[in-house]
Amino acid sequence: MQTIISYIASNKDRFLNELFDLLRIPSVSADPKYKDEVKRAAEKVKSQLEDAGAVNGRLFTTQGHPVVYAEKIIDPAKPTVLVYGHYDVQPADPVSLWKTPPFEPTVVGEKIFARGSCDDKGQVFMHVKALEYMVRTNTLPCNIKFMIEGEEEVGSAHLGDFIRENKETLKADVVLLSDTSIIANDIPSLTVGLRGLSYMEVEVTGPDRDLHSGVYGGAVGNPVNILCEMIASLKDKNGRITIPGFYKDVLKAGKEERKMLNKAPFSISNYKKDLGIADVTGEKGYTTIERTAIRPSLDVNGIWGGYQGEGAKTVLPSKAYAKISMRLVPNQKSDKITLLFTRHFKKIAPKYVKVKVTPLHGGEAAVTPTDSAAYRAAEKAMEVSFGKKPIPVRGGGSIPIVALFEKELGLKSVMMGFGLDSDNIHSPNECYGLFNLFKGIETIPLFYKFFSEGQ
Ligand code: BES
Ligand code: MN
Ligand code: MN
């Protein structure tokens, strides 16, 4: 029988061409301008799944972008794995900073450069090709269902309803997803936790129109200045978030857990060098790993207001805006944090401005078990393909559906991603290593093998 390694070697070029077809479609879920392209990407994923041997492929329409579904049921008595991924991508802006066009995939060195190459089309594609191999060599040992969504990058707002309404279709024993990263190509890891998210836009209004900054400046509250002061006050000098009650539900990590976390290989000097920063900063008393893994955070994602054009215009603006997000940890509830933020932000506003807070999206944190048959199968699969046992790590990012799978379907997830933190996801020049792409395709069939044996 042909091994997965020889199958990859003899199909490399075709795999890349097919992945590139998918990467060429600008499926930017955030921008309504790309709605048709998002649909086109969904159709492409569906046909690629069908070409690989999946059946009953369909697009489920939702209030937002469609969900792609397809399956390969070999025996209803056997266990079923639900593979989740997303075919939507982040906007490519600022396009001028890309060295190659974001939607014209290009191999430079050993990496594929394109928006979505790592997050998450490239990683979804590994599952499609792993299926193809198992179907063609008749080695698929269990049932697989695929659910590939198109709204992950905008918060998966309609996915809760979707999974509630399609419980029977999605019935499975475990969820498998590749939408996270490994520590390094020679240090495999499995993600066992994600942070939650609470994201809003704020609007601060001062005078009812833009004013001459000479005629009025010094006497009328400037909403841009005030917004900056309000934002600055959201953290104290120890890097702690000052919103009353914010930390109330945070579970404090124990000594052992912190020790384990900090054992993961990590070089602070490489970290700083890679980012071009002279030092790191954050909540006092925690390491950099802890700050992104087990502690919540608050960041301004964008801020604007006043004159943005060429040259100088002397103006005291009427309005100022910011997009603010908070990453949350297990046991914090996104809705509650949104409420606490809103209340606090209105309270700290001086009376000479009006404040509006609009929640944009949210999602809950997740922790996944390391003592399940599925986790052990993923661990063994990576151990075989990388020659090293993967390290369990907590990811700082968010995938809202993971908590929803648990809440709505009682399903645990295994997060076996193959990206690298240096893949520039959400940034210009997103890339995905050829090594990572092929290593993923190689590892996934091993997961199914060990999972089926361990059942
Ligand atoms: N794949 C990422 C999440 C991720 C990246 C987790 C790296 C762990 C390591 C996902 O596509 C993502 O970007 N999620 C968003 C969620 C949000 C839009 C609700 C995020 O984390 O910002
Ligand atoms: Mn992703
Ligand atoms: Mn993403």
Side-chain angles (χ1 to χ4, degrees):
M1 192 191 77
Q2 197 174 19
T3 65
I4 181 72
I5 296 183
S6 69
Y7 190 73
I8 294 169
S10 48
N11 289 284
K12 255 187 181 156
D13 290 344
R14 177 174 63 87
F15 285 1
L16 287 182
N17 285 332
E18 290 173 6
L19 172 58
F20 286 11
D21 285 344
L22 182 60
L23 292 173
R24 276 191 201 101
I25 307 173
S27 48
V28 180
S29 50
D31 189 341
K33 193 166 87 213
Y34 292 102
K35 190 164 184 277
D36 293 346
E37 299 289 353
V38 176
K39 175 113 189 277
R40 211 155 67 78
E43 268 151 10
K44 179 58 104 192
V45 171
K46 174 175 160 296
S47 72
Q48 290 189 339
L49 277 165
E50 287 169 336
D51 291 345
V55 296
N56 295 332
R58 59 177 285 196
L59 300 193
F60 281 87
T61 46
T62 67
Q63 301 266 52
H65 299 298
V67 176
V68 182
Y69 178 84
E71 62 186 17
K72 182 74 186 170
I73 308 293
I74 56 159
D75 176 356
K78 294 210 155 128
T80 301
V81 175
L82 177 63
V83 173
Y84 164 83
H86 63 94
Y87 65 82
D88 65 322
V89 300
Q90 287 277 329
D93 319 47
V95 177
S96 63
L97 295 182
W98 283 74
K99 296 194 183 107
T100 58
F103 297 106
E104 189 42 65
T106 314
V107 176
V108 181
E110 291 296 304
K111 289 173 178 171
I112 303 161
F113 284 82
R115 173 56 89 226
S117 54
C118 172
D119 186 11
D120 183 33
K121 287 171 171 171
Q123 299 210 58
V124 165
F125 187 77
M126 303 179 316
H127 285 270
V128 181
K129 292 300 116 176
L131 172 76
E132 180 188 296
Y133 167 74
M134 292 185 289
V135 169
R136 296 214 180 152
T137 53
N138 211 10
T139 53
L140 176 62
C142 62
N143 306 311
I144 311 187
K145 294 176 171 179
F146 291 88
M147 174 191 154
I148 314 296
E149 68 149 315
E151 291 190 306
E152 197 279 340
E153 297 294 8
V154 286
S156 302
H158 305 102
L159 259 261
D161 285 345
F162 173 78
I163 61 177
R164 260 191 302 276
E165 284 158 19
N166 294 283
K167 281 195 172 149
E168 204 43 47
T169 309
L170 301 173
K171 207 165 173 231
D173 296 283
V174 72
V175 177
L176 175 65
L177 59 143
S178 298
D179 194 20
T180 50
S181 40
I182 50 176
I183 297 174
N185 282 352
D186 56 352
I187 314 172
S189 55
L190 282 160
T191 300
V192 296
L194 294 166
R195 288 197 284 185
L197 186 68
S198 169
Y199 196 126
M200 33 247 162
E201 184 168 317
V202 300
E203 179 191 287
V204 176
T205 307
D208 63 5
R209 59 191 185 281
D210 285 4
L211 304 175
H212 189 291
S213 66
V215 177
Y216 294 97
V220 175
N222 179 322
V224 181
N225 292 38
I226 292 157
L227 176 59
C228 290
E229 282 166 29
M230 289 168 72
I231 289 169
S233 78
L234 294 176
K235 281 190 201 174
D236 68 15
K237 63 177 191 316
N238 293 323
R240 291 205 27 119
I241 294 157
T242 56
I243 299 167
F246 182 85
Y247 290 97
K248 184 161 174 282
D249 299 325
V250 172
L251 302 176
K252 261 204 131 166
K255 264 206 179 99
E256 271 312 300
E257 192 187 351
R258 292 182 66 178
K259 224 167 101 189
M260 274 293 296
L261 267 174
N262 288 302
K263 265 205 208 144
F266 177 73
S267 155
I268 191 78
S269 57
N270 288 351
Y271 187 81
K272 290 192 274 196
K273 210 168 108 203
D274 173 48
L275 300 177
I277 53 176
D279 206 354
V280 293
T281 177
E283 189 181 359
K284 204 173 155 189
Y286 292 92
T287 64
T288 296
I289 290 186
E290 290 170 338
R291 284 169 181 167
T292 58
I294 54 163
R295 299 299 295 168
S297 60
L298 181 150
D299 278 285
V300 176
N301 298 256
I303 182 162
W304 67 102
Y307 183 62
Q308 317 267 316
E310 285 289 317
K313 178 187 181 201
T314 47
V315 63
L316 193 165
S318 163
K319 284 178 187 289
Y321 305 83
K323 291 187 195 273
I324 301 175
S325 72
M326 284 161 284
R327 295 283 170 173
L328 311 176
V329 295
N331 207 45
Q332 280 184 300
K333 293 274 167 291
S334 173
D335 282 352
K336 181 172 166 188
I337 294 297
T338 301
L339 203 76
L340 290 179
F341 175 94
T342 307
R343 221 185 268 155
H344 179 67
F345 210 66
K346 288 189 168 164
K347 200 167 149 212
I348 60 174
K351 67 168 185 274
Y352 37 86
V353 293
K354 289 193 277 294
V355 170
K356 198 166 112 192
V357 179
T358 313
L360 294 182
H361 56 65
E364 307 301 350
V367 216
T368 60
T370 51
D371 58 356
S372 66
Y375 182 84
R376 280 193 300 273
E379 195 173 52
K380 265 174 136 178
M382 279 187 145
E383 191 173 353
V384 171
S385 67
F386 285 87
K388 260 186 210 168
K389 199 170 163 167
I391 299 168
V393 296
R394 297 267 205 111
S398 310
I399 308 176
I401 189 77
V402 173
L404 284 174
F405 277 136
E406 165 115 51
K407 181 170 164 240
E408 303 295 345
L409 307 178
L411 280 178
K412 307 273 185 213
S413 295
V414 171
M415 294 186 269
M416 188 170 73
F418 293 86
L420 291 173
D421 286 349
S422 54
D423 283 343
N424 298 325
I425 64 171
H426 297 206
S427 303
N429 305 304
E430 178 177 351
C431 59
Y432 195 41
L434 294 171
F435 169 86
N436 306 72
L437 175 71
F438 297 130
K439 195 50 93 181
I441 302 175
E442 180 189 334
T443 308
I444 293 163
L446 289 165
F447 168 82
Y448 289 105
K449 176 178 176 300
F450 294 129
F451 178 64
S452 302
E453 287 171 5
Q455 277 296 296

